[in-house]
Amino acid sequence: MRITLLLLAGLLISRTSMAQDQPTPRKFNIGFFGGLAIPVSDFAAKDYYNVKAGGANLGFAFGAELGVPIAPVLSWWSSAMFSFNGLSEDYIKSAFGNSGSVSGNLGTWTTIWPVTGLRFTTVVSPTISLSLSGQVGIVFGTSPDVNATQGGSSTTSPSVSASAFAYGLGAGLIFGERVNVTARYFTGQPSYKLKITTVESGPGFTSTYETEGTFDIPASIFQLLVGVIL
């Protein structure tokens, strides 16, 4: 009986020691990231007469996110991303139909992406993990505030805002459970109510043209990001 009690006591102490040696699971993770925002598809198109063209240049993005583990390899992440893409001079040149230089303010596309969804993570080496994610949410877009001049022609378009359903996919590598390198693609199609005024002037004449309408301009961005997980 005494031997049995000693064996049970030893087993209990051993299990307690093993449990103490295990890392405490995190209740949540906080991430911060930044990097490139690369416009793709119609968002990057430079043809002014393509009604879906955004004329967006290469830009930058940053944001923060919160992750909650729900299974050993699965977690729920909510992200807030901000992207900024300047308007291309080539886009304005195509509007004027002239290759001369453009002066003035071309403005910037601003997009905000509050999204949420699942992330699958698997270990590929002792210090590296692979993550795959899918998220849905909303994109809030603000169009460029344009006031540009080329020779005797000028165009203005006040900035306006719009929103739309958004979704995206991502893949990345996590180094040492802290450094996160990811590639993400997000897209949405806000409808902007734009007012565009064009003035053409020359010796003895000035002509003004106004265009008002709703334009569905997709905000499609491929992001290359580096971040930290706390």
Side-chain angles (χ1 to χ4, degrees):
M1 179 60 115
R2 182 178 298 178
I3 295 175
T4 302
L5 291 175
L6 289 173
L7 288 174
L8 289 174
L11 181 60
L12 179 61
I13 292 172
S14 176
R15 286 182 175 271
T16 302
S17 177
M18 290 175 62
Q20 290 176 345
D21 290 340
Q22 296 297 320
T24 303
R26 299 181 188 175
K27 293 183 179 179
F28 59 85
N29 297 279
I30 299 175
F32 300 93
F33 55 84
L36 298 177
I38 305 169
V40 296
S41 190
D42 285 327
F43 194 46
K46 305 299 191 291
D47 181 6
Y48 176 83
Y49 294 99
N50 172 4
V51 295
K52 290 183 176 293
N57 277 332
L58 175 68
F60 66 94
F62 66 88
E65 53 191 355
L66 175 67
V68 179
I70 58 178
V73 296
L74 203 61
S75 54
W76 191 279
W77 285 82
S78 297
S79 310
M81 299 178 290
F82 302 81
S83 296
F84 303 89
N85 297 85
L87 187 65
S88 169
E89 183 176 342
D90 290 338
Y91 177 80
I92 300 298
K93 288 180 179 179
S94 73
F96 292 138
N98 194 315
S99 60
S101 62
V102 175
S103 61
N105 176 43
L106 302 187
T108 300
W109 285 101
T110 301
T111 50
I112 303 173
W113 310 78
V115 292
T116 188
L118 292 172
R119 180 177 299 175
F120 169 82
T121 305
T122 184
V123 175
V124 295
S125 81
T127 59
I128 302 176
S129 298
L130 170 69
S131 68
L132 302 173
S133 63
Q135 293 177 297
V136 297
I138 301 173
V139 55
F140 296 97
T142 301
S143 67
D145 184 8
V146 180
N147 188 353
T149 300
Q150 185 190 64
S153 302
S154 65
T155 185
T156 59
S157 180
S159 177
V160 298
S161 298
S163 61
F165 171 77
Y167 63 92
L169 299 172
L173 294 174
I174 303 170
F175 299 88
E177 298 186 356
R178 294 298 183 186
V179 178
N180 191 15
V181 179
T182 61
R184 302 180 183 180
Y185 170 78
F186 279 89
T187 187
Q189 186 167 286
S191 297
Y192 299 92
K193 295 182 178 179
L194 298 175
K195 180 178 180 180
I196 304 168
T197 303
T198 302
V199 178
E200 295 183 358
S201 59
F205 79 93
T206 299
S207 300
T208 301
Y209 309 92
E210 289 190 352
T211 301
E212 286 189 71
T214 300
F215 297 84
D216 297 332
I217 302 176
S220 299
I221 298 177
F222 182 73
Q223 299 173 331
L224 295 176
L225 306 170
V226 177
V228 294
I229 300 174
L230 306 178

